Short mmCIF file of all heavy atoms in Angstrom, two decimals:
data_model
loop_
_atom_site.label_atom_id
_atom_site.label_comp_id
_atom_site.label_asym_id
_atom_site.label_seq_id
_atom_site.Cartn_x
_atom_site.Cartn_y
_atom_site.Cartn_z
N VAL H 1 76.67 43.16 86.37
CA VAL H 1 76.82 42.45 85.15
C VAL H 1 75.61 42.38 84.30
O VAL H 1 75.62 42.01 83.16
CB VAL H 1 77.28 41.04 85.32
CG1 VAL H 1 78.63 41.09 86.03
CG2 VAL H 1 76.35 40.23 86.10
N ARG H 2 74.44 42.89 84.73
CA ARG H 2 73.27 42.76 83.99
C ARG H 2 72.92 43.98 83.20
O ARG H 2 71.93 44.06 82.50
CB ARG H 2 72.06 42.51 84.95
CG ARG H 2 72.29 41.17 85.73
CD ARG H 2 72.58 40.06 84.81
NE ARG H 2 73.06 38.90 85.59
CZ ARG H 2 73.38 37.79 85.07
NH1 ARG H 2 73.49 37.65 83.76
NH2 ARG H 2 73.74 36.80 85.79
N GLY H 3 73.70 45.01 83.30
CA GLY H 3 73.47 46.23 82.53
C GLY H 3 74.36 46.32 81.39
O GLY H 3 75.14 45.38 81.04
N PRO H 4 74.36 47.33 80.51
CA PRO H 4 73.38 48.39 80.74
C PRO H 4 72.05 47.92 80.20
O PRO H 4 71.92 47.13 79.36
CB PRO H 4 73.94 49.53 79.85
CG PRO H 4 74.78 48.85 78.85
CD PRO H 4 75.39 47.59 79.51
N GLY H 5 71.02 48.50 80.84
CA GLY H 5 69.71 48.20 80.43
C GLY H 5 69.07 46.99 81.05
O GLY H 5 68.02 46.58 80.55
N GLY H 6 69.69 46.44 82.02
CA GLY H 6 69.10 45.23 82.67
C GLY H 6 68.06 45.53 83.69
O GLY H 6 67.85 46.70 84.13
N THR H 7 67.41 44.53 84.15
CA THR H 7 66.46 44.59 85.25
C THR H 7 66.73 43.67 86.36
O THR H 7 66.99 42.44 86.07
CB THR H 7 65.00 44.35 84.68
OG1 THR H 7 64.62 45.29 83.70
CG2 THR H 7 63.98 44.48 85.83
N LEU H 8 66.87 44.15 87.56
CA LEU H 8 67.06 43.32 88.68
C LEU H 8 65.81 43.20 89.57
O LEU H 8 65.33 44.30 90.04
CB LEU H 8 68.19 43.94 89.55
CG LEU H 8 68.64 43.17 90.78
CD1 LEU H 8 69.21 41.81 90.48
CD2 LEU H 8 69.69 44.00 91.59
N PHE H 9 65.37 42.02 89.71
CA PHE H 9 64.12 41.82 90.42
C PHE H 9 64.52 41.25 91.93
O PHE H 9 65.08 40.21 91.94
CB PHE H 9 63.17 40.82 89.83
CG PHE H 9 61.99 40.43 90.57
CD1 PHE H 9 61.16 41.46 91.25
CD2 PHE H 9 61.61 39.18 90.75
CE1 PHE H 9 60.02 41.01 91.95
CE2 PHE H 9 60.43 38.74 91.45
CZ PHE H 9 59.69 39.74 92.10
N LEU H 10 64.26 42.04 92.90
CA LEU H 10 64.62 41.68 94.30
C LEU H 10 63.36 41.13 94.97
O LEU H 10 62.54 41.91 95.40
CB LEU H 10 65.17 42.93 95.07
CG LEU H 10 66.49 43.50 94.49
CD1 LEU H 10 66.87 44.73 95.27
CD2 LEU H 10 67.61 42.40 94.53
N ASP H 11 63.15 39.80 94.94
CA ASP H 11 62.08 39.16 95.55
C ASP H 11 62.24 39.08 97.05
O ASP H 11 63.31 38.82 97.50
CB ASP H 11 61.82 37.78 94.85
CG ASP H 11 60.48 37.19 95.12
OD1 ASP H 11 59.59 37.97 95.56
OD2 ASP H 11 60.28 36.05 94.90
N GLU H 12 61.14 39.23 97.77
CA GLU H 12 61.18 39.15 99.22
C GLU H 12 62.25 40.08 99.82
O GLU H 12 62.93 39.85 100.74
CB GLU H 12 61.50 37.69 99.67
CG GLU H 12 60.49 36.68 99.30
CD GLU H 12 59.07 36.99 99.79
OE1 GLU H 12 58.91 37.77 100.86
OE2 GLU H 12 58.04 36.56 99.20
N ILE H 13 62.14 41.32 99.32
CA ILE H 13 63.07 42.44 99.88
C ILE H 13 62.80 42.68 101.31
O ILE H 13 63.60 43.21 102.06
CB ILE H 13 62.99 43.59 98.98
CG1 ILE H 13 64.11 44.54 99.30
CG2 ILE H 13 61.63 44.40 99.22
CD1 ILE H 13 64.44 45.61 98.28
N GLY H 14 61.64 42.32 101.78
CA GLY H 14 61.24 42.53 103.23
C GLY H 14 62.12 41.67 104.18
O GLY H 14 62.26 41.89 105.34
N GLU H 15 62.74 40.61 103.53
CA GLU H 15 63.65 39.75 104.31
C GLU H 15 65.14 40.28 104.32
O GLU H 15 65.95 39.68 104.98
CB GLU H 15 63.72 38.32 103.74
CG GLU H 15 62.30 37.70 103.70
CD GLU H 15 61.79 37.31 105.04
OE1 GLU H 15 62.60 36.96 105.93
OE2 GLU H 15 60.54 37.33 105.27
N MET H 16 65.39 41.32 103.57
CA MET H 16 66.82 41.79 103.51
C MET H 16 67.20 42.40 104.78
O MET H 16 66.49 43.28 105.34
CB MET H 16 66.88 42.88 102.39
CG MET H 16 68.35 43.37 102.09
SD MET H 16 68.38 44.55 100.82
CE MET H 16 68.44 43.49 99.39
N PRO H 17 68.39 42.03 105.33
CA PRO H 17 68.87 42.65 106.60
C PRO H 17 69.05 44.21 106.44
O PRO H 17 69.31 44.60 105.37
CB PRO H 17 70.25 41.91 106.79
CG PRO H 17 70.20 40.71 105.96
CD PRO H 17 69.31 40.97 104.80
N VAL H 18 68.86 44.87 107.51
CA VAL H 18 68.85 46.28 107.49
C VAL H 18 70.26 46.82 106.97
O VAL H 18 70.29 47.79 106.20
CB VAL H 18 68.53 46.93 108.92
CG1 VAL H 18 68.69 48.44 108.91
CG2 VAL H 18 67.11 46.53 109.25
N ASP H 19 71.37 46.17 107.39
CA ASP H 19 72.59 46.69 106.88
C ASP H 19 72.77 46.51 105.41
O ASP H 19 73.46 47.36 104.75
CB ASP H 19 73.78 46.08 107.69
CG ASP H 19 73.81 44.54 107.68
OD1 ASP H 19 72.71 43.92 107.43
OD2 ASP H 19 74.94 43.97 107.69
N MET H 20 72.20 45.51 104.86
CA MET H 20 72.18 45.35 103.38
C MET H 20 71.34 46.39 102.69
O MET H 20 71.59 46.86 101.64
CB MET H 20 71.78 43.96 103.00
CG MET H 20 72.75 42.90 103.19
SD MET H 20 74.29 43.20 102.21
CE MET H 20 73.59 43.34 100.63
N GLN H 21 70.24 46.78 103.44
CA GLN H 21 69.34 47.80 102.90
C GLN H 21 70.12 49.16 102.73
O GLN H 21 69.94 49.88 101.78
CB GLN H 21 68.12 48.02 103.81
CG GLN H 21 67.22 46.87 103.84
CD GLN H 21 66.12 47.04 104.87
OE1 GLN H 21 65.66 48.15 105.14
NE2 GLN H 21 65.60 45.93 105.43
N VAL H 22 71.04 49.42 103.62
CA VAL H 22 71.83 50.60 103.57
C VAL H 22 72.69 50.55 102.37
O VAL H 22 72.77 51.62 101.62
CB VAL H 22 72.67 50.78 104.87
CG1 VAL H 22 73.63 51.91 104.71
CG2 VAL H 22 71.82 50.98 106.12
N SER H 23 73.29 49.45 102.10
CA SER H 23 74.14 49.37 100.85
C SER H 23 73.34 49.48 99.63
O SER H 23 73.77 50.09 98.63
CB SER H 23 74.90 47.96 100.87
OG SER H 23 75.71 47.76 101.93
N LEU H 24 72.14 48.83 99.54
CA LEU H 24 71.30 48.93 98.39
C LEU H 24 70.83 50.39 98.18
O LEU H 24 70.78 50.84 97.07
CB LEU H 24 70.09 48.03 98.51
CG LEU H 24 69.07 48.11 97.33
CD1 LEU H 24 69.78 47.65 96.05
CD2 LEU H 24 67.98 47.18 97.64
N LEU H 25 70.49 51.05 99.29
CA LEU H 25 70.01 52.46 99.20
C LEU H 25 71.18 53.36 98.59
O LEU H 25 70.92 54.12 97.67
CB LEU H 25 69.76 53.00 100.56
CG LEU H 25 69.22 54.42 100.65
CD1 LEU H 25 67.97 54.72 99.83
CD2 LEU H 25 69.05 54.92 102.07
N ARG H 26 72.44 53.12 98.94
CA ARG H 26 73.56 53.86 98.33
C ARG H 26 73.65 53.65 96.90
O ARG H 26 73.85 54.56 96.17
CB ARG H 26 74.83 53.46 99.12
CG ARG H 26 76.12 53.94 98.54
CD ARG H 26 76.29 55.42 98.72
NE ARG H 26 76.17 55.74 100.13
CZ ARG H 26 76.70 56.82 100.58
NH1 ARG H 26 77.43 57.62 99.95
NH2 ARG H 26 76.50 57.13 101.84
N VAL H 27 73.54 52.35 96.49
CA VAL H 27 73.57 52.06 95.05
C VAL H 27 72.49 52.80 94.31
O VAL H 27 72.74 53.35 93.24
CB VAL H 27 73.44 50.53 94.87
CG1 VAL H 27 73.26 50.11 93.41
CG2 VAL H 27 74.72 49.84 95.42
N LEU H 28 71.27 52.72 94.84
CA LEU H 28 70.10 53.44 94.12
C LEU H 28 70.42 54.91 94.07
O LEU H 28 70.06 55.60 92.99
CB LEU H 28 68.87 53.05 94.87
CG LEU H 28 68.46 51.59 94.79
CD1 LEU H 28 67.24 51.34 95.56
CD2 LEU H 28 68.24 51.13 93.42
N GLN H 29 70.82 55.52 95.14
CA GLN H 29 71.03 56.96 95.22
C GLN H 29 72.13 57.42 94.28
O GLN H 29 72.04 58.43 93.59
CB GLN H 29 71.34 57.41 96.65
CG GLN H 29 70.13 57.39 97.52
CD GLN H 29 70.44 57.89 98.95
OE1 GLN H 29 69.51 57.85 99.71
NE2 GLN H 29 71.65 58.18 99.34
N GLU H 30 73.24 56.71 94.35
CA GLU H 30 74.52 57.13 93.60
C GLU H 30 74.44 56.70 92.12
O GLU H 30 75.21 57.11 91.36
CB GLU H 30 75.69 56.62 94.31
CG GLU H 30 75.89 57.06 95.75
CD GLU H 30 76.03 58.63 95.83
OE1 GLU H 30 76.69 59.21 94.99
OE2 GLU H 30 75.53 59.11 96.84
N GLN H 31 73.62 55.68 91.84
CA GLN H 31 73.49 55.03 90.54
C GLN H 31 74.88 54.46 90.17
O GLN H 31 75.35 54.52 88.95
CB GLN H 31 72.91 55.97 89.48
CG GLN H 31 71.50 56.27 89.78
CD GLN H 31 70.92 57.21 88.71
OE1 GLN H 31 71.58 57.64 87.79
NE2 GLN H 31 69.58 57.40 88.80
#
């Protein structure tokens, strides 16, 4: 909902569970 042209700031990403990291990686790769 923040686009087009939005910015998403993920604070404390080091706390993100590994399985969620996989989902985020897919979003970034596939756009």
Side-chain angles (χ1 to χ4, degrees):
V1 300
R2 302 307 172 184
T7 299
L8 179 63
F9 175 49
L10 299 175
D11 196 14
E12 297 303 335
I13 195 165
E15 302 287 331
M16 183 180 279
V18 174
D19 58 332
M20 283 299 305
Q21 293 175 30
V22 173
S23 298
L24 179 59
L25 179 62
R26 170 70 53 158
V27 168
L28 296 175
Q29 286 179 180
E30 303 296 324
Q31 296 182 351

